[in-house]
Amino acid sequence: NREQNCANMRDYYARRFFWGRAMKLRGKGRASAKDLWSIWKRQRGLCALTGRGLDRTAHVDHIIPKTRGGSDDAGNLRWICAEVNLAKRNLTDDEFVRLCGNVMDWIGRRIVMVDGM
């Protein structure tokens, strides 16, 4: 039964959180489940970019994006919130912070414009 097998695998991955995330990493020298756990512990379960507490929806982020030559080794990985990782995509931290600043500037100008009406 395909649906039962899929449900069993989802259960298995849920119980083995770090192992499941480590299996999604590819390439030579990839981080192990133990490496991901030690990164989580070093970050004290907090998002590396926002400082919010993480849960099982957390994503493993590449500090240097893979599209820009980054690797899957533990030195290039960190845990961040899912929303932040989806917004950051393949940007570096500096580019992402600059983008967030541009968004805030734009929102501020829009608020001033609307208040002036």
Side-chain angles (χ1 to χ4, degrees), residues 13-18 21 40 54-59 79:
Y13 276 92
R15 282 180 281 140
R16 299 187 64 184
F17 177 68
F18 296 105
R21 293 296 200 266
W40 183 284
L54 296 172
D55 57 12
R56 289 185 170 274
T57 62
H59 287 195
W79 289 97

Side-chain angles (χ1 to χ4, degrees), residues 21-22 24-26 29-33 35-40 42-43 48 59-66 70-80:
R21 293 296 200 266
K24 292 180 180 180
L25 299 174
R26 300 282 180 237
R30 71 180 185 187
S32 67
D35 293 332
L36 294 181
W37 176 81
S38 67
I39 295 168
W40 183 284
R42 184 177 64 232
Q43 290 181 214
H59 287 195
V60 176
D61 177 50
H62 292 83
I63 297 168
I64 300 172
K66 289 190 75 167
S71 64
D72 284 332
D73 68 346
N76 190 39
L77 299 176
R78 63 184 169 190
W79 289 97
I80 64 173

